[in-house]
Amino acid sequence: MPSNNSKFWLKNLARSSAEWINGCGPLSEVVVSSRIRLARNIEAIPFPHWAKEEDLKNIYEVMQQLAQENIIFRKFKLLLLNNFTPLELQFLVEKHLISLYQANGKHPYRGCLYNQEETACIMINEEDHLRIQYILSGLQLKKIWGSINQIDNEIGKTVNYAFSEKEGYLTSCPTNVGTGMRASVMLHLPALVRLNRLNEILKAIAKIGYVVRGFYGEGTEVMGNLFQISNQITLGLSEEEIIDNLEKVSRQIIEQEEKARRDLLKDFKNYLEDQIWRAYGILSQARIISSVEAMELLSKLRLGVELKIVSQINLELINRIMLMLQPAYLQILAQKNLNASERDIQRAKLIREKINPMNN
Amino acid sequence: MLCQICKKKEATIMITQVIGGEKTELHLCKDCATLFGDKFSIISFPQFNLDDLLSGLLKAFDLYSQEEGRMTAGEIKCSNCGLTYQDFMQTGKLGCSICYQDFRGQLLPLLRRLHGNSEHIGKVPLQAKNKLDKINQIKRLRQELQEVVIKEDYERAAQIRDEILKLEGVTKKKDAK
């Protein structure tokens, strides 16, 4: 339920971590996380960008009631985003609980209903009335589909979804119509980047209707060799086909990345080890570090962990640092506003403390 | 000038978009243009987002229909939410689910262009599924009714008629809600 004491849940969210952080999912040497989101709207009510305030309120309240009454949402929390500061909203984006679109939205009654494990999250009054998303670590698209499908069915018992036999689920933007489904995987591809083999692969992916994006999805930059691959086509394919295809594409890229890693190890083992340990050295000693540099070095360290060259660190720690070093997360942790140079100092301090907990 | 996407090859193709009166130019090499210009595939370029591309495409469609001497589609208005097709062309966003019915003629070619295929074959929500099942059942019963009338089996015909009425009654009650 929406808490009046936003400091309370904010503190909680700064301390808690999502399931995908644990880095234990299948094929997590390359796949950081898998995600599915479904775009859903309610029949005949104008889409959020075109709706009146009372429509938005109505939708928010329907979800509020559902969250209170339906047992499936027992462990969910509902946030009303109206009164959140830009920093708090940015923090939720960095935690992958809301989208950039949801954070930048101007209309009232934007909400976020998320579960304790931070695997499931329903954005209310985003671009569509509802955006249901589910994230797990590693390559687990089928499992995610099972869980998100169940949540979707439960909501569908209460609300009358906008749906047509021919066009499927009707969405605010025609690029999402049909299944309303966007399935994606976050891949760590340092070896393919290093050996300049990625462009060829990306070309092939685009030709079969898949898209590559940055760390936060649409319109964001690629950082730390992390690439998000997702389906572009949502109409004329079933949900299972979309998932199957994405999984096949992912497995092929994983295979290529693993091959590239073997090639690197074969031909440039000393160089590679040097790069990884240097990254470790800088991260554990730096006093000032930008997010771009930190992400680059963390990518090298992650590769070191994935190749079992570095054993004193695990993927969970790297995922956790990667999240916490972001601008809003840093400021929420510090409980004060920090300018860019203050953040670089704070970031270096946080990374040192996480990487060598004994020395600090 | 180098291609703005691969930053390696010489840019030979220029894509100009006019969005909200603002003109943006994108210089691409032949390979990147085929890859990204045509397929709507985006690689994280802030100046190259999907909404802009979509509204660019929508304008191209409208221009095309004007060239053919037809009336511009922009004046059509959704009977439920009042959004005009012109509004849609500017933002790339529809106003409500009824827009899909009222703009169907304009949307179908666009959907085909975006998705390659314009018929949904995925999940059907439970409520819609129940309704569809009922409609299909009524269709089947009507067929059967015709058959038994030809056979002059009036007793069975009366039964079927009652079943149809019952089913239709339920459907209508649900619609009225």
Side-chain angles (χ1 to χ4, degrees):
Chain A
M1 299 314 96
S3 160
N4 293 326
N5 188 353
S6 69
K7 293 275 177 278
F8 173 76
W9 69 256
L10 213 64
K11 245 187 196 168
N12 262 345
L13 276 175
R15 269 187 273 123
S16 68
S17 59
E19 185 278 343
W20 71 265
I21 300 286
N22 73 30
C24 293
L27 297 166
S28 56
E29 311 82 53
V30 179
V31 189
V32 178
S33 59
S34 311
R35 171 180 171 268
I36 292 179
R37 76 111 171 95
L38 301 173
R40 296 290 186 256
N41 288 285
I42 296 158
E43 176 69 19
I45 297 181
F47 300 138
H49 77 99
W50 196 244
K52 294 193 180 77
E53 186 169 335
E54 60 189 82
D55 290 326
L56 298 168
K57 183 168 184 257
N58 184 12
I59 287 160
Y60 182 84
E61 286 174 354
V62 165
M63 291 309 290
Q64 189 174 32
Q65 202 180 352
L66 192 66
Q68 280 164 353
E69 289 170 0
N70 193 317
I71 193 153
I72 203 173
F73 298 115
R74 199 174 61 239
K75 288 183 174 167
F76 279 65
K77 284 200 170 52
L78 177 61
L79 307 174
L80 180 60
L81 304 174
N82 289 8
N83 302 318
F84 281 28
T85 65
L87 181 72
E88 289 166 343
L89 291 169
Q90 180 59 32
F91 166 70
L92 293 175
V93 174
E94 291 175 359
K95 282 214 75 164
H96 295 269
L97 280 175
I98 63 171
S99 62
L100 211 54
Y101 185 95
Q102 179 82 327
N104 295 336
K106 295 285 175 279
H107 52 265
Y109 295 103
R110 284 168 295 138
C112 170
L113 180 65
Y114 65 96
N115 66 353
Q116 217 170 21
E117 299 80 25
E118 295 171 35
T119 49
C121 153
I122 299 159
M123 283 181 266
I124 303 164
N125 291 323
E126 204 243 22
E127 183 180 298
D128 295 293
H129 293 145
L130 303 176
R131 287 275 177 106
I132 313 167
Q133 70 159 6
Y134 207 99
I135 307 181
L136 287 177
S137 60
L139 188 64
Q140 306 200 60
L141 290 164
K142 289 195 177 91
K143 193 171 172 191
I144 293 174
W145 171 237
S147 304
I148 203 169
N149 194 20
Q150 196 190 353
I151 295 174
D152 184 40
N153 287 341
E154 284 303 318
I155 300 173
K157 283 178 191 166
T158 304
V159 307
N160 195 7
Y161 278 146
F163 179 86
S164 102
E165 210 181 324
K166 286 218 165 79
E167 283 96 25
Y169 289 92
L170 304 174
T171 53
S172 176
C173 184
T175 50
N176 294 314
V177 83
T179 56
M181 177 196 264
R182 191 83 65 217
S184 66
V185 288
M186 185 78 77
L187 305 178
H188 184 227
L189 306 173
L192 286 173
V193 172
R194 193 76 197 78
L195 294 174
N196 272 329
R197 293 181 192 168
L198 196 61
N199 273 355
E200 288 302 309
I201 294 173
L202 295 188
K203 268 187 210 170
I205 291 171
K207 276 188 189 137
I208 50 172
Y210 287 80
V211 186
V212 184
R213 295 184 168 122
F215 191 51
Y216 298 109
E218 201 170 314
T220 64
E221 279 174 54
V222 171
M223 281 198 297
N225 297 318
L226 292 169
F227 296 83
Q228 194 195 79
I229 298 179
S230 59
N231 64 303
Q232 180 69 42
I233 290 165
T234 53
L235 183 65
L237 287 170
S238 72
E239 288 80 359
E240 287 80 5
E241 283 173 311
I242 291 173
I243 291 168
D244 268 4
N245 293 345
L246 180 60
E247 191 159 326
K248 274 182 205 149
V249 169
S250 305
R251 282 183 191 279
Q252 281 178 13
I253 300 172
I254 294 165
E255 217 172 273
Q256 291 299 316
E257 168 66 20
E258 281 172 343
K259 187 176 176 298
R261 288 180 187 184
R262 284 197 299 274
D263 292 348
L264 274 178
L265 272 176
K266 199 174 95 216
D267 300 334
F268 311 99
K269 188 161 191 277
N270 290 339
Y271 172 80
L272 188 66
E273 286 186 348
D274 180 65
Q275 288 282 304
I276 290 165
W277 288 110
R278 273 170 190 271
Y280 190 15
I282 296 170
L283 287 168
S284 58
Q285 299 303 329
R287 261 50 185 173
I288 298 174
I289 196 162
S290 71
S291 54
V292 173
E293 186 186 2
M295 286 296 277
E296 263 173 38
L297 295 171
L298 278 171
S299 168
K300 289 180 180 169
L301 193 54
R302 180 188 287 273
L303 182 63
V305 175
E306 288 161 348
L307 291 173
K308 302 193 168 56
I309 291 170
V310 178
S311 58
Q312 52 270 65
I313 285 176
N314 59 23
L315 290 178
E316 179 170 8
L317 185 69
I318 290 178
N319 285 337
R320 198 179 295 275
I321 296 174
M322 197 173 75
L323 270 195
M324 289 181 166
L325 63 74
Q326 302 173 91
Y329 211 135
L330 273 180
Q331 295 177 71
I332 296 284
L333 283 175
Q335 295 181 15
K336 59 179 176 192
N337 289 335
L338 302 167
N339 64 31
S341 26
E342 288 168 337
R343 287 202 299 272
D344 288 352
I345 295 170
Q346 187 70 21
R347 183 177 296 115
K349 184 166 174 274
L350 177 125
I351 296 172
R352 286 201 312 277
E353 284 170 3
K354 294 283 169 198
I355 288 192
N356 357 280
M358 294 303 172
N359 305 342
N360 283 279
Chain B
M1 185 176 189
L2 285 180
C3 168
Q4 283 175 275
I5 289 188
C6 67
K7 296 195 172 73
K8 280 179 192 144
K9 281 174 228 155
E10 188 67 26
T12 50
I13 290 164
M14 186 181 78
I15 295 179
T16 310
Q17 290 178 85
V18 183
I19 303 133
E22 245 186 70
K23 199 167 134 187
T24 41
E25 286 178 0
L26 202 60
H27 298 267
L28 305 176
C29 69
K30 204 178 146 215
D31 288 353
C32 290
T34 342
L35 209 60
F36 303 111
D38 190 40
K39 292 272 179 187
F40 302 99
S41 303
I42 318 300
I43 280 208
S44 60
F45 294 95
Q47 76 273 32
F48 204 63
N49 78 52
L50 198 59
D51 284 350
D52 295 350
L53 265 176
L54 187 61
S55 64
L57 178 73
L58 288 168
K59 281 183 187 137
F61 265 121
D62 197 46
L63 225 63
Y64 173 70
S65 61
Q66 277 179 355
E67 273 171 14
E68 290 211 329
R70 279 181 267 153
M71 200 184 75
T72 169
E75 294 141 38
I76 309 171
K77 208 172 190 176
C78 170
S79 60
N80 179 54
C81 72
L83 184 113
T84 63
Y85 196 73
Q86 180 75 38
D87 293 326
F88 170 59
M89 285 195 291
Q90 270 162 12
T91 62
K93 287 190 179 68
L94 291 154
C96 71
S97 51
I98 310 300
C99 290
Y100 279 91
Q101 291 169 24
D102 291 359
F103 303 148
R104 169 159 280 149
Q106 286 71 37
L107 283 176
L108 275 181
L110 174 71
L111 290 178
R112 226 165 270 150
R113 182 83 201 259
L114 284 169
H115 297 285
N117 191 334
S118 57
E119 289 237 351
H120 178 62
I121 58 164
K123 184 178 173 177
V124 177
L126 294 174
Q127 288 190 0
K129 193 169 179 284
N130 292 341
K131 209 169 151 184
L132 269 178
D133 286 350
K134 214 160 276 165
I135 291 168
N136 288 336
Q137 207 180 334
I138 292 171
K139 259 190 218 160
R140 273 198 304 275
L141 284 170
R142 287 227 169 92
Q143 264 176 8
E144 201 188 330
L145 184 64
Q146 278 185 347
E147 284 163 22
V148 294
V149 167
I150 293 167
K151 286 183 198 156
E152 297 183 1
D153 181 355
Y154 297 114
E155 201 177 325
R156 175 76 191 126
Q159 275 175 358
I160 293 173
R161 184 202 58 203
D162 289 348
E163 276 178 57
I164 292 175
L165 283 176
K166 200 174 143 196
L167 279 169
E168 282 180 333
V170 176
T171 316
K172 270 171 196 157
K173 241 182 241 164
K174 265 209 161 166
D175 281 347
K177 245 186 191 174

